[in-house]
């Protein structure tokens, strides 16, 4: 009996550690900017469910742009601006620190504030800068880059509030909008389960994993609606490929394509009015665009070879797609109004699974060179191709909505896992998976 | 009595001739039933040899049926990397499936196409379909009705071998006939 209990508790531990997907940074912290998120001051009696400073530190690290200092390496742990010893921080080349305060208001309700402090400015002025205002010298605190208003929140919202703080900090320091409150959708395959295929959504960091569908038959290719309320995906639950649109809030599902042959690769247009998809009902895989309002289907390509994997340009005027019309699969674009087709890639044996970067200036793809599959980026103006990853069997790259990071699936040991690479290829990390294979990640738009 | 003796002679020899004939016209149904008819007519006479031939014939047909059934046991075909061409070693197997489907017009078969895990999932769906269609077309060229054959591609989603070695990849590049 004891043994049974032990094995059950081991199972539970394994389960909870799986839920808490952490991050394993594999490359690229050297070039990152040091930052310290000092443990927040807490005045209250309720137990805090989460460590806000830890969540922010992890977010900033995962962006690839910051190296968060661990509390053990901090010269001091100030909780108010006036306690800061600027020289102690600047001696350690830590240019920016974040401090914060949390109070409990009543059971289940908290208030938090935080400040971003520029150590360099502070050490110059000693925290007592003066400026002219209305012809008079007045004291300023220009070393405080940002001071939040008090944020009131529920006990269940700790992680969300911490991610919102990360968004603000990231934007203040980089000028790039943060994407820490976004989600990822992916397919989990647990090989020995009765219903092995699961479509799952989770916070971008893997927390709050939520099952959307569980099936005996494969699930594939989730694509977010631009308002992040729906997913389109492929399901084989009826022993053939079909495309469904799934409302994440109501849970309702609608079948939108069930033709003979392939019904695949759904991709939502940036304005949400159309869905690009692949059908082989007329003989071989072709790109179609479905108007979601009128339900009118327009055929985009007409070619005897494989055309697949459509993905929209940010302006919604073009689709990039994979085609074998020139021999081996390469990426092409088609103007959806004129139907004009242009080949985009020429480097490597094959290029597949293309998508435009959010600024529309580059393409991200799966490149095959000497039999190896890696994520690569091509500058559309110069045509220069940069291979971003060194992992094995890389596929399904998907952008963070700010264009800063790419999530993709890769082989690690014997399992398919998710990994991150920064768009410049310098920062790399792996999301450690639980049991089974993790595939087809799709990063949500801003929520 | 001479005419009677001649008749007796013919009764013995004629089936031998037809039997000899029928072995050369292997698998000709009409010849076989003719032989059987002759045999039943002569059951009152010395029919040892005729019965032997019928037995032999039956055994041959049974053997052929067993062979066809054994061939039909093979319901999986493997493909080269990136290829969808049917290899010559599967011709006999597909002929056996085609014969069964021709003989049983109400029978239906689903051909599943699969790919290995290299390349993107949706491209592999397209590759898997090309393999399934290649088998479907081959069966139709052997006289199987298009209405009896359907295809579905699972791409890389249902690997047979999860080792991700070259040997594993080779096992996953397959088409499967499912009745």
């Amino acid at each position: 009996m004891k043994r049974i209990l032990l094995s059950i508790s081991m199972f539970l531990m394994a389960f909870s550690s799986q839920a808490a997907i952490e991050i394993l940074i594999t490359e690229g912290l050297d070039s990152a900017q040091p930052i310290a998120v000092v443990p927040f001051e807490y005045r209250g009696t309720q137990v805090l469910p989460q460590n806000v400073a830890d969540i922010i530190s992890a977010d900033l690290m995962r962006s690839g742009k910051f190296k968060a200092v661990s509390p053990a390496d901090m010269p001091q742990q100030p909780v108010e601006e006036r306690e800061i010893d600027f020289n102690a921080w600047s001696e350690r080349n830590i240019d920016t620190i974040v401090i914060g305060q949390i109070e409990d208001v009543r059971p289940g309700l908290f208030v938090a504030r935080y400040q971003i402090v520029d150590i360099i400015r502070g050490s110059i002025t000693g925290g007592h800068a003066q400026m002219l205002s209305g012809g008079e010298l007045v004291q300023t605190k220009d070393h405080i880059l940002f001071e939040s208003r008090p944020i009131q929140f529920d006990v269940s919202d700790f992680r969300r509030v911490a991610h919102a703080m990360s968004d603000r900090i990231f934007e203040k320091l980089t000028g790039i909008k943060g994407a820490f409150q976004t989600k990822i959708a992916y397919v989990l395959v647990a090989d020995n389960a009765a219903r092995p295929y699961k479509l799952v959504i989770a916070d971008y960091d893997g927390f709050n994993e939520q099952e959307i569908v569980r099936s005996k038959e494969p699930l594939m290719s989730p694509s977010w609606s631009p308002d992040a309320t729906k997913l389109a995906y492929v399901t084989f639950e009826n022993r053939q490929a079909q495309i469904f649109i799934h409302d994440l809030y109501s849970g309702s599902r609608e079948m939108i394509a069930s033709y003979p042959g392939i019904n695949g690769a759904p991709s939502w247009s940036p304005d949400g009015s159309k869905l690009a998809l692949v059908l082989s009902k007329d003989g071989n895989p072709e790109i179609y665009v479905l108007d979601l309002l009128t339900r009118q289907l327009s055929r985009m390509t007409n070619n005897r070879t494989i055309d697949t994997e459509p993905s929209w340009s940010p302006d919604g005027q073009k689709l990039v797609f994979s085609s074998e019309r020139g021999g081996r699969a390469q990426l092409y674009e088609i103007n959806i109004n004129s139907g004009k087709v242009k080949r985009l890639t020429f480097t490597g044996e094959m290029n597949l699974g293309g998508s435009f970067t959010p600024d529309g200036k580059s393409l991200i793809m799966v490149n095959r060179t000497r039999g190896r599959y890696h994520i690569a980026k091509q500058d559309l103006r110069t045509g220069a191709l940069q291979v971003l990853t060194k992992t094995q069997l890389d596929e399904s790259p998907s952008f963070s909505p700010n264009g800063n990071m790419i999530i993709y699936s890769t082989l690690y040991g014997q399992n398919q896992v998710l990994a991150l690479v920064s768009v410049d290829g310098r920062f790399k990390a792996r999301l450690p998976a639980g049991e089974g294979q993790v595939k087809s990640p799709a990063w949500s738009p801003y929520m | 009595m001479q005419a009677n003796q001649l008749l007796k002679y013919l009764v013995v020899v004629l089936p031998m001739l037809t039997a000899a004939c029928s072995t050369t016209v292997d698998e000709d149904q009409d010849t076989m039933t003719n032989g059987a008819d002759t045999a039943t007519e002569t059951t009152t006479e010395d029919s040892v040899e005729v019965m032997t031939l019928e037995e032999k014939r039956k055994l041959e047909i049974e053997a052929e049926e067993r062979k066809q059934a054994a061939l039909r046991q093979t319901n999986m075909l493997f493909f080269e990397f990136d290829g969808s061409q049917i290899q010559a070693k599967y011709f006999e197997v597909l002929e056996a499936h085609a014969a069964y489907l021709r003989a049983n017009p109400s029978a239906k078969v689903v051909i599943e196409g699969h790919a290995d895990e290299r390349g993107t999932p949706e491209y592999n769906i397209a590759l898997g379909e090309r393999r399934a269609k290649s088998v479907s077309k081959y069966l139709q060229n052997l006289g199987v009705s298009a209405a009896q054959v359907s295809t579905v591609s699972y791409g890389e989603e249902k690997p047979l071998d999860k080792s991700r070695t070259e040997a594993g990849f080779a096992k996953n590049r397959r088409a499967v006939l499912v009745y």
Side-chain angles (χ1 to χ4, degrees):
Chain A
M1 191 58 198
K2 220 172 196 175
R3 191 177 288 173
I4 293 170
L5 277 178
L6 187 72
S7 64
I8 289 172
S9 63
M10 297 262 288
F11 170 76
L12 288 176
M13 275 166 61
F15 201 75
S16 61
S17 68
Q18 179 199 344
I21 289 179
E22 48 176 327
I23 189 155
L24 303 169
I25 292 164
T26 47
E27 201 182 311
L29 265 190
D30 299 344
S31 56
Q33 182 189 336
I35 189 169
V37 184
V38 180
F40 282 23
E41 179 193 31
Y42 178 50
R43 275 178 300 214
T45 53
Q46 300 174 56
V47 178
L48 292 181
Q50 303 278 346
N51 184 327
V52 170
D54 279 358
I55 297 170
I56 297 171
S57 293
D59 281 344
L60 296 174
M61 296 269 265
R62 265 183 223 112
S63 75
K65 295 199 182 294
F66 295 95
K67 182 181 177 177
V69 178
S70 81
D73 295 330
M74 294 177 185
Q76 56 161 176
Q77 297 195 357
V79 294
E80 294 288 345
E81 174 265 329
R82 59 187 148 74
E83 297 171 18
I84 297 170
D85 178 349
F86 294 101
N87 292 328
W89 292 98
S90 62
E91 273 170 19
R92 294 181 190 226
N93 296 316
I94 298 165
D95 300 343
T96 315
I97 70 169
V98 175
I99 56 174
Q101 306 81 33
I102 302 174
E103 279 174 66
D104 64 353
V105 181
R106 54 180 161 79
L109 198 69
F110 298 86
V111 168
R113 290 175 300 127
Y114 66 101
Q115 300 86 37
I116 309 170
V117 181
D118 179 347
I119 293 295
I120 297 174
R121 182 68 190 155
S123 58
I124 291 167
T125 65
H128 306 290
Q130 293 183 315
M131 64 173 274
L132 275 170
S133 174
E136 277 181 65
L137 271 178
V138 293
Q139 290 276 337
T140 79
K141 295 198 174 208
D142 62 356
H143 58 286
I144 298 180
L145 293 173
F146 176 75
E147 181 160 17
S148 79
R149 292 161 174 269
I151 308 157
Q152 190 168 301
F153 59 99
D154 192 81
V155 65
S156 63
D157 267 348
F158 257 86
R159 293 199 71 86
R160 193 187 56 74
V161 167
H163 289 316
M165 292 177 180
S166 302
D167 275 347
R168 181 56 73 93
I169 295 163
F170 185 78
E171 187 166 357
K172 277 283 163 198
L173 299 177
T174 66
I176 304 166
K177 192 172 173 185
F180 303 111
Q181 295 185 77
T182 52
K183 291 189 181 287
I184 43 173
Y186 48 94
V187 174
L188 258 180
V189 187
D191 289 329
N192 298 318
R195 289 199 179 89
Y197 301 93
K198 289 193 277 186
L199 178 62
V200 166
I201 59 172
D203 291 354
Y204 96 98
D205 57 3
F207 280 84
N208 296 324
E209 204 176 74
Q210 230 183 312
E211 223 174 274
I212 302 301
V213 202
R214 186 189 286 216
S215 176
K216 281 184 181 172
E217 296 297 328
L219 296 160
M220 288 179 74
S221 308
S223 168
W224 289 89
S225 65
D227 63 359
T229 63
K230 299 185 193 82
L231 282 177
Y233 56 86
V234 177
T235 172
F236 286 81
E237 65 200 55
N238 296 316
R239 297 302 235 162
Q240 70 160 109
Q242 295 173 317
I243 300 174
F244 276 68
I245 288 178
H246 191 130
D247 187 307
L248 296 172
Y249 292 91
S250 72
S252 69
R253 306 166 81 218
E254 187 192 358
M255 188 176 76
I256 57 137
S258 178
Y259 297 93
I262 295 172
N263 295 265
S267 172
W268 230 296
S269 69
D271 67 359
S273 70
K274 296 187 259 325
L275 201 70
L277 64 160
V278 172
L279 303 173
S280 66
K281 65 188 176 74
D282 298 325
N284 67 311
E286 303 286 0
I287 314 287
Y288 290 77
V289 169
L290 176 70
D291 186 308
L292 290 170
L293 194 67
T294 64
R295 296 292 154 132
Q296 197 191 328
L297 195 62
S298 323
R299 181 163 167 174
M300 289 289 126
T301 58
N302 194 343
N303 190 275
R304 290 168 60 83
T305 61
I306 292 172
D307 291 322
T308 187
E309 302 180 315
S311 179
W312 296 84
S313 61
D315 64 5
Q317 298 301 302
K318 287 180 290 189
L319 290 166
V320 57
F321 63 100
S322 315
S323 177
E324 289 192 335
R325 60 188 63 202
R328 293 254 195 209
Q330 292 291 346
L331 300 181
Y332 295 75
E333 68 170 30
I334 184 164
N335 182 307
I336 63 158
N337 302 309
S338 70
K340 207 177 142 215
V341 175
K342 186 173 129 194
R343 180 167 168 176
L344 298 177
T345 57
F346 296 89
T347 311
E349 295 145 17
M350 260 183 164
N351 287 290
L352 294 164
S355 56
F356 289 95
T357 52
D359 64 10
K361 289 178 181 162
S362 310
L363 276 181
I364 294 291
M365 69 203 81
V366 177
N367 171 267
R368 192 182 102 187
T369 300
R370 288 186 294 280
R372 293 202 171 88
Y373 296 83
H374 292 307
I375 309 300
K377 181 174 77 168
Q378 180 174 309
D379 185 303
L380 281 169
R381 196 175 51 80
T382 65
L385 186 108
Q386 182 194 1
V387 175
L388 301 178
T389 60
K390 296 176 194 156
T391 34
Q392 248 190 300
L393 285 183
D394 304 335
E395 60 187 31
S396 307
S398 173
F399 266 106
S400 62
N402 60 7
N404 184 46
M405 277 286 161
I406 300 160
I407 194 163
Y408 64 100
S409 100
T410 184
L411 196 64
Y412 181 71
Q414 276 304 301
N415 285 314
Q416 240 178 322
V417 300
L418 299 184
L420 292 170
V421 59
S422 61
V423 76
D424 60 10
R426 291 214 300 229
F427 172 84
K428 296 181 178 85
R430 195 170 68 242
L431 301 179
E435 291 161 69
Q437 316 291 316
V438 194
K439 327 172 53 145
S440 298
W443 207 315
S444 80
Y446 291 114
M447 306 295 286
Chain B
M1 274 318 265
Q2 269 207 330
N4 201 9
Q5 264 184 339
L6 181 69
L7 194 69
K8 219 171 190 179
Y9 176 71
L10 276 175
V11 164
V12 177
V13 171
L14 209 64
M16 285 177 72
L17 283 172
T18 46
C21 196
S22 77
T23 49
T24 56
V25 192
D26 205 5
E27 290 183 28
D28 187 338
Q29 294 264 337
D30 287 340
T31 317
M32 192 197 76
T33 41
N34 282 347
D37 287 347
T38 323
T40 45
E41 276 166 28
T42 58
T43 39
T44 50
E45 300 294 331
D46 178 15
S47 56
V48 175
E49 283 178 296
V50 176
M51 287 305 288
T52 310
L53 283 172
E54 193 186 20
E55 282 289 288
K56 195 182 166 211
R57 189 80 208 119
K58 230 171 102 188
L59 287 173
E60 273 172 17
I61 290 162
E62 276 171 14
E64 182 58 29
E65 274 172 359
R66 271 199 304 275
K67 189 187 164 198
Q68 294 269 320
L71 282 169
R72 283 204 309 276
Q73 289 290 304
T74 304
N75 67 340
M76 217 178 269
L77 292 71
F78 299 95
F79 294 85
E80 294 292 316
F81 177 63
D82 247 358
S84 57
Q85 203 174 354
I86 292 162
Q87 297 172 41
K89 61 182 167 190
Y90 299 114
F91 291 172
E92 210 181 8
V93 169
L94 289 178
E95 173 54 54
H97 284 281
Y100 174 79
L101 288 163
R102 281 194 310 261
N104 300 277
S106 62
K108 287 194 161 46
V109 66
V110 178
I111 300 160
E112 297 178 359
H114 298 268
D116 70 29
E117 297 95 318
R118 289 174 288 187
T120 54
E122 287 288 356
Y123 176 68
N124 280 329
I125 285 286
L127 267 187
E129 181 180 71
R130 195 146 73 188
R131 283 173 185 148
K133 285 197 165 165
S134 160
V135 175
S136 167
K137 199 188 249 174
Y138 194 92
L139 291 177
Q140 287 175 52
N141 287 342
L142 293 174
V144 176
S145 152
Q148 285 176 275
V149 191
S150 61
T151 60
V152 58
S153 172
Y154 289 109
E156 63 174 88
E157 308 304 314
K158 289 187 163 188
L160 197 63
D161 183 315
K162 298 180 181 94
S163 67
R164 291 187 175 88
T165 57
E166 281 299 329
F169 289 145
K171 278 189 199 163
N172 295 338
R173 293 191 298 268
R174 68 198 193 278
V176 188
L177 288 89
V178 183
Y179 284 95

